[in-house]
Amino acid sequence: MLDRTIEPAFQQITDIHFIEAKKHLLSNQIPVFEVNAGEQDLVRIEFIFQNVAWEKSKPLLPSVCNSMLTEGTHSLSAAQIASKIDFYGAFFQTEYSFDQSSLTLFSLNKHVAHTLPIIKEMLTASIFPEKELNTFLRNQQQKLKVGLEKNSVLARRSFNRALFGDSLYGYPYELKDYDEVKRADLLAYYQEMYHPKNCTIIVSGKIQEETIAHLEQLFGSWSTEVTLKEFNINIQPDEQKWHDIEKPQALQSAIRLGISTVNRTHPDFMGLQVLNTVLGGYFGSRLMANIREDKGYTYGIGSANVTLQHAGFFFIASEVGADVCGATLTEIEKEIAILKTELIPNEELALVRNYLMGSLLGSLENAFSHADKFKNLYFYGLGYDYYDQYIQTIQNINAEELRALANKYWNFEDFYKVIVGKM
Amino acid sequence: MVKFERFILENGLRVLVHEDDTTPMAVLNILYDVGARDENPEQTGFAHLFEHLMFGGSINIPSYDEPLQRVGGENNAFTSNDMTNYYLTLPTSNLETAFWLESDRMLSLAFSEKSLEVQKNVVCEEFKQRYLNQPYGDVWLKLRPLVYQKHPYRWATIGKELSHIENAKIEDVKAFFKKHYNPQNAIMVVGGAVKLDQVKALAEKWFGPIPSGEKYVRNLPQEPVQNQEITEIVKADVPLNAIYKAFKMPGRMEAGYPAIDLISDILSQGKSSRLYQNLVQQNPVFSDIKAYNYGSLDTGMFVVEGRLSPEVKPEEADELIWKELESLKSEPVLPEELIKVKNKYESVKQFEEMSLLDKAMNLAYYELLGEANLVNTEINNYLKVSVADIQHYANALFSREKSTTLFYLAN
């Protein structure tokens, strides 16, 4: 007779295999990293550029410049770019983040010879046509109007502003900023940003030799007169810790709490990842168990460590019933206090270790995910030994060390606390 | 190409196995053939609430999540109007834990009062977060009952109103479980670095002893053909005026579905699409507009929704949408336009095969549609669609008397 109360035996994960990126240089020294794996005849090619400048008077330049890459070049209109890419069943994606801006091509291998030249056009010959620019700015402005009606969006804006002030990391775009974007400024920023000295190419998928040859042929002689400058983010944290925005009609309040910490390059970061998991980093976390699964105050609550090239921070976020906002804050404070005073029980810590190992293993699903892991390292100047150490930390960090980290980084009085809705 | 094997246990549980040794992970996906369309009109939102309760402990295992996390696994689930799907991923070496957990909750739940109380609150907060406390969040709560008069698609998965969730009783939960959660109403897919024989043995061991239960026979009121235009205006605190226009369309496996799916791509996939080019880029009437269909198993919805640019009159914008739809009826699409959307479809299929979980979910979904191998062959139905088919189905679909339009206007 099958005894269903007894859990089947299970194994610890000990071995995690990373497919390491192989590097070569194009003739003009652009580094190309290849992660070659997979069965599907397709490839992802990312062109990544470090953000090189930001000014408060023109806060939208980097992001608009990135999005507008698809909107027209000397020889192709926006509609032609879109038609060509769509015709070959390919996708492209622009992405602007705090540290980098990128243009990514997803293409079937059999069409790379047709799709890659379009990417070259966008990176080397964009003209930011006035008509498309106006359409884009107007639509973004409309989108922001809708976003500003969402409590969670307002909370995130207010939180980032408190943490980083009016800097590239912290500035919350206003509707009027869209009126200040000028074509001439975009062209100048484009020259300064999108050039071979500031470019990294990452190729992942089932990579064919011809694809690499196309890269050399199209981008190997790309040149520039621009010299790379040092860029300081110039973070200016707010003195004031408490920020609330009252919304009398709110059914729920958005909560966002957190503090500046360290980024991936700091030796404490790996331990903080384990500590964060215990508090709010997975479905079984203490915050979820208490605030969702025991009290039913929310649909979800979570916490995370965010790593940026020039900063790191920790935050907790949730949307809770407006009547239980205060009670939720009390519970969050209580959970943090427990981690600072008591040791995490062995059984819970063992579960979190296994969960994190499974999660790391599961995050290496295909060539794209291996390439993403490489990016986590490369843009922080780290090597693959980082992951060896991370695995060591997951397996070996003890409860005393975790409690010490909670005391070192999580002083609740110093947390920025943002509430949007009703308190 | 997604390869798979199929076997059926004596109790009626269908099992599909997809061997993929490129990953160290395994997926176990169970689809239950029950969705919001199977609910009592007085107890809407129940299928989704029930999905939450499936994580509240089963007859022999007090916690579902904890043992799974302990072996390095993760899980989630979703409910739609048509089905409820549960999935978990874990390191292949711990595959048996997945069978242990999933078979116990198919056998019986713990039916804990505490879990019911808490999940009622959680789902009410989900209702507020996603449908009530968001700009335009309630649009489908308003639009569905306009489009559907008879069919239970007239309510959304989350339910008609908060009170239906608040009033749920443990007896209702037990009855729902008995009716829908048994081997005959389920499709299981196991994928990853697994072997057919291994899966057979584990399935026999853990799922074999579960009683087959009663087969649920679905008998839903079908939606009559619409022959009168429906228009409604709502006003709310939103920053932009919006238009939502819906047409009833064939179900997922009915004739015409692939052609109509491609019509939505011609209208709105990517920046080269007609709606974007004509109504956002060339003539900036909308700041955002899209067309899509719900892929429903019964009579579905083809939707055009757009947010208007300031200063544009809603009725003028509405006429411009009609102009685009009329042009599909009167003019054949360009052959390149049709090739383009077919190429994109083919490419999306390839990219989907990068993900083990997507493959497993697709196998379960297509098996529900009638045959898992459709995951590999359905593309032929798309490639066959001709320029004439597009025009034919555009004519069948887009007429005033079959349209439902909701003007969602700013106060």
Side-chain angles (χ1 to χ4, degrees):
Chain A
M1 185 65 188
L2 189 59
D3 186 346
R4 292 183 179 270
T5 60
I6 299 173
E7 176 173 358
F10 67 92
Q11 293 173 22
Q12 308 282 351
I13 303 156
T14 47
D15 196 25
I16 297 184
H17 173 65
F18 288 83
I19 303 170
E20 298 195 8
K22 292 197 177 60
K23 179 181 179 178
H24 78 272
L25 298 174
L26 298 186
S27 318
N28 58 355
Q29 305 299 305
I30 295 180
V32 178
F33 296 93
E34 298 172 44
V35 176
N36 194 359
E39 308 277 307
Q40 289 71 37
D41 267 309
L42 49 81
V43 72
R44 178 178 88 177
I45 308 177
E46 297 168 88
F47 297 82
I48 305 176
F49 302 82
Q50 285 291 136
N51 295 334
V52 290
W54 186 84
E55 286 173 57
K56 192 187 168 186
S57 58
K58 299 168 185 170
L60 283 161
L61 271 189
S63 76
V64 174
C65 187
N66 181 244
S67 302
M68 285 292 299
L69 291 176
T70 64
E71 297 302 302
T73 69
H74 285 297
S75 59
L76 296 172
S77 69
Q80 285 170 322
I81 291 174
S83 298
K84 276 175 180 270
I85 288 279
D86 286 345
F87 186 81
Y88 292 107
F91 305 83
F92 56 73
Q93 179 177 301
T94 57
E95 190 179 343
Y96 169 75
S97 68
F98 284 134
D99 291 314
Q100 285 110 20
S101 303
S102 64
L103 178 62
T104 302
L105 171 71
F106 298 83
S107 178
L108 299 182
N109 283 326
K110 62 180 177 185
H111 295 316
V112 166
H114 298 286
T115 51
L116 203 49
I118 306 168
I119 299 294
K120 184 190 177 184
E121 274 283 310
M122 294 195 256
L123 290 178
T124 60
S126 275
I127 55 168
F128 306 93
E130 203 77 57
K131 182 170 160 59
E132 277 79 2
L133 177 61
N134 290 337
T135 304
F136 176 78
L137 293 173
R138 191 196 65 229
N139 294 343
Q140 289 303 110
Q141 210 169 20
Q142 304 290 80
K143 215 172 269 178
L144 179 59
K145 272 188 203 163
V146 176
L148 293 176
E149 296 294 317
K150 298 180 185 179
N151 292 349
S152 57
V153 171
L154 293 175
R156 192 182 60 235
R157 286 163 57 92
S158 181
F159 180 80
N160 288 354
R161 168 69 160 276
L163 222 56
F164 298 122
D166 285 341
S167 66
L168 185 148
Y169 286 172
Y171 181 80
Y173 306 135
E174 306 288 346
L175 292 171
K176 65 169 171 50
D177 294 330
Y178 288 94
D179 301 329
E180 301 303 319
V181 179
K182 300 285 174 278
R183 180 168 179 261
D185 293 332
L186 284 171
L187 283 166
Y189 191 83
Y190 179 61
Q191 294 303 329
E192 202 181 342
M193 172 94 178
Y194 295 90
H195 59 74
K197 288 180 198 158
N198 192 31
C199 179
T200 304
I201 300 175
I202 301 180
V203 191
S204 49
K206 192 169 175 180
I207 304 171
Q208 301 193 315
E209 278 178 33
E210 301 87 74
T211 299
I212 300 303
H214 284 309
L215 279 173
E216 172 61 34
Q217 189 201 335
L218 290 166
F219 296 95
S221 50
W222 186 17
S223 66
T224 182
E225 301 298 310
V226 178
T227 44
L228 270 182
K229 284 176 295 191
E230 189 74 13
F231 169 45
N232 285 319
I233 298 286
N234 195 17
I235 293 165
Q236 296 155 320
D238 200 331
E239 293 292 314
Q240 193 185 324
K241 301 294 180 189
W242 178 266
H243 298 260
D244 61 83
I245 302 173
E246 178 80 12
K247 295 271 167 182
Q249 306 301 322
L251 295 172
Q252 289 188 315
S253 297
I255 297 176
R256 208 169 180 91
L257 313 174
I259 190 165
S260 281
T261 54
V262 292
N263 73 5
R264 186 174 281 122
T265 60
H266 192 282
D268 285 341
F269 185 76
M270 299 175 192
L272 283 171
Q273 289 286 70
V274 179
L275 180 65
N276 170 65
T277 306
V278 173
L279 179 72
Y282 73 126
F283 192 89
S285 71
R286 291 181 176 196
L287 290 176
M288 278 292 269
N290 179 349
I291 292 162
R292 172 173 145 140
E293 292 297 305
D294 184 54
K295 311 246 168 22
Y297 289 168
T298 179
Y299 179 49
I301 181 165
S303 66
N305 294 307
V306 178
T307 175
L308 300 169
Q309 281 180 333
H310 307 281
F313 66 95
F314 165 75
F315 76 97
I316 300 167
S318 184
E319 286 172 83
V320 304
D323 53 329
V324 290
C325 184
T328 303
L329 289 179
T330 309
E331 292 302 321
I332 292 172
E333 184 171 8
K334 201 188 291 176
E335 291 296 347
I336 288 174
I338 293 172
L339 284 169
K340 291 166 74 171
T341 48
E342 295 172 24
L343 292 173
I344 298 165
N346 286 335
E347 202 186 337
E348 183 183 1
L349 190 51
L351 183 151
V352 165
R353 294 188 208 282
N354 292 349
Y355 169 78
L356 280 171
M357 289 296 284
S359 173
L360 183 59
L361 189 68
S363 71
L364 293 167
E365 175 160 54
N366 54 39
F368 298 169
S369 21
H370 280 278
D372 292 340
K373 286 284 181 289
F374 170 72
K375 283 188 280 179
N376 289 343
L377 303 174
Y378 179 70
F379 291 107
Y380 290 86
L382 299 165
Y384 279 94
D385 59 332
Y386 172 85
Y387 283 111
D388 297 335
Q389 285 170 37
Y390 180 49
I391 290 166
Q392 290 289 321
T393 305
I394 293 172
Q395 290 174 331
N396 298 321
I397 194 166
N398 64 41
E400 284 80 7
E401 290 167 315
L402 289 166
R403 184 172 62 184
L405 285 173
N407 279 290
K408 183 169 171 187
Y409 290 99
W410 289 354
N411 187 2
F412 196 74
E413 287 80 68
D414 294 337
F415 274 31
Y416 289 99
K417 301 176 184 78
V418 178
I419 309 292
V420 181
K422 282 195 282 195
M423 217 1 244
Chain B
M1 179 74 184
V2 184
K3 293 191 192 118
F4 66 95
E5 301 279 346
R6 181 195 289 107
F7 61 90
I8 301 175
L9 297 184
E10 265 180 45
N11 58 17
L13 179 66
R14 270 181 280 175
V15 186
L16 307 178
V17 182
H18 168 63
E19 298 183 1
D20 173 0
D21 59 11
T22 64
T23 160
M25 302 297 282
V27 168
L28 193 156
N29 185 88
I30 300 190
L31 185 158
Y32 288 92
D33 185 2
V34 56
R37 64 176 166 164
D38 300 304
E39 292 162 349
N40 174 341
E42 302 309 314
Q43 286 183 314
T44 64
F46 204 86
H48 169 252
L49 172 65
F50 191 88
E51 174 214 310
H52 280 244
L53 298 171
M54 282 286 277
F55 297 91
S58 54
I59 183 89
N60 297 296
I61 308 173
S63 160
Y64 176 90
D65 291 291
E66 201 180 299
L68 179 62
Q69 287 155 356
R70 195 178 305 121
V71 303
E74 281 187 285
N75 68 278
N76 214 331
F78 62 84
T79 308
S80 74
N81 297 76
D82 290 321
M83 71 191 91
T84 314
N85 191 68
Y86 300 82
Y87 54 94
L88 62 83
T89 57
L90 78 181
T92 304
S93 52
N94 297 333
L95 181 62
E96 188 158 8
T97 303
F99 279 83
W100 172 64
L101 286 166
E102 287 299 340
S103 64
D104 201 52
R105 62 180 185 174
M106 191 183 289
L107 182 64
S108 180
L109 292 183
F111 300 112
S112 133
E113 289 278 2
K114 160 92 181 170
S115 169
L116 176 60
E117 279 317 302
V118 168
Q119 292 308 316
K120 276 159 54 170
N121 281 333
V122 168
V123 171
C124 284
E125 292 305 323
E126 180 181 0
F127 201 130
K128 292 179 204 164
Q129 182 174 329
R130 293 168 64 168
Y131 298 85
L132 303 180
N133 213 29
Q134 294 288 338
Y136 315 99
D138 61 354
V139 64
W140 291 104
L141 303 181
K142 296 190 187 308
L143 192 48
R144 279 186 172 274
L146 293 175
V147 176
Y148 293 101
Q149 311 296 317
K150 292 267 187 292
H151 193 282
Y153 285 162
R154 67 186 186 273
W155 57 82
T157 313
I158 195 73
K160 281 184 201 165
E161 47 191 286
L162 285 167
S163 69
H164 282 195
I165 295 154
E166 286 160 355
N167 293 336
K169 303 276 184 301
I170 201 84
E171 298 80 58
D172 307 325
V173 177
K174 286 180 181 167
F176 195 87
F177 181 81
K178 185 158 180 282
K179 188 171 175 188
H180 298 291
Y181 279 73
N182 63 50
Q184 295 198 71
N185 294 324
I187 296 163
M188 175 159 84
V189 179
V190 184
V194 300
K195 291 278 171 249
L196 176 63
D197 289 346
Q198 170 199 20
V199 174
K200 266 188 181 159
L202 287 169
E204 284 293 351
K205 176 178 175 185
W206 292 103
F207 287 88
I210 300 174
S212 56
E214 278 172 40
K215 176 81 186 163
Y216 163 65
V217 183
R218 182 171 283 118
N219 185 14
L220 303 178
Q222 288 308 303
E223 190 60 26
V225 174
Q226 179 179 343
N227 46 31
Q228 202 169 8
E229 183 173 6
I230 298 169
T231 305
E232 187 138 317
I233 298 170
V234 297
K235 295 209 166 195
D237 280 328
V238 289
L240 316 172
N241 293 331
I243 296 177
Y244 296 81
K245 191 180 279 302
F247 300 90
K248 285 192 265 294
M249 64 173 277
R252 188 66 179 75
M253 291 311 287
E254 288 167 14
Y257 182 86
I260 294 170
D261 198 21
L262 291 175
I263 289 177
S264 71
D265 292 342
I266 288 169
L267 282 173
S268 124
Q269 190 177 63
K271 285 186 175 168
S272 69
S273 64
R274 291 185 172 201
L275 292 178
Y276 185 85
Q277 276 305 315
N278 299 340
L279 300 183
V280 178
Q281 189 70 264
Q282 305 303 332
N283 181 15
V285 178
F286 290 90
S287 64
D288 186 29
I289 185 164
K290 57 191 170 191
Y292 55 93
N293 91 74
Y294 266 81
S296 304
L297 299 191
D298 297 324
T299 298
M301 271 190 285
F302 186 100
V303 180
V304 181
E305 67 167 84
R307 290 183 187 163
L308 276 62
S309 301
E311 333 267 308
V312 175
K313 292 207 176 71
E315 51 277 26
E316 283 168 15
D318 187 49
E319 282 310 315
L320 288 165
I321 293 177
W322 274 114
K323 196 177 149 207
E324 292 303 322
L325 303 180
E326 290 295 340
S327 122
L328 283 169
K329 290 162 70 176
S330 57
E331 307 277 330
V333 294
L334 299 172
E336 308 89 87
E337 224 178 347
L338 186 56
I339 295 170
K340 178 187 79 175
V341 292
K342 287 179 181 176
N343 283 350
K344 198 83 169 205
Y345 181 89
E346 205 173 353
S347 167
V348 168
K349 280 273 167 195
Q350 286 275 323
F351 278 93
E352 264 176 16
E353 288 187 23
M354 297 283 283
S355 157
L356 174 63
L357 183 58
D358 284 355
K359 286 188 287 186
M361 281 186 187
N362 275 333
L363 284 170
Y365 173 67
Y366 281 104
E367 183 72 5
L368 179 72
L369 294 184
E371 163 57 61
N373 198 40
L374 284 167
V375 72
N376 299 311
T377 60
E378 196 190 28
I379 187 164
N380 300 321
N381 298 337
Y382 280 75
L383 296 179
K384 270 193 296 216
V385 171
S386 66
V387 166
D389 293 333
I390 296 286
Q391 193 168 4
H392 169 78
Y393 284 105
N395 275 286
L397 206 58
F398 303 131
S399 63
R400 303 261 172 176
E401 69 273 13
K402 290 180 181 165
S403 69
T404 303
T405 307
L406 181 69
F407 291 95
Y408 200 110
L409 306 181
N411 268 332

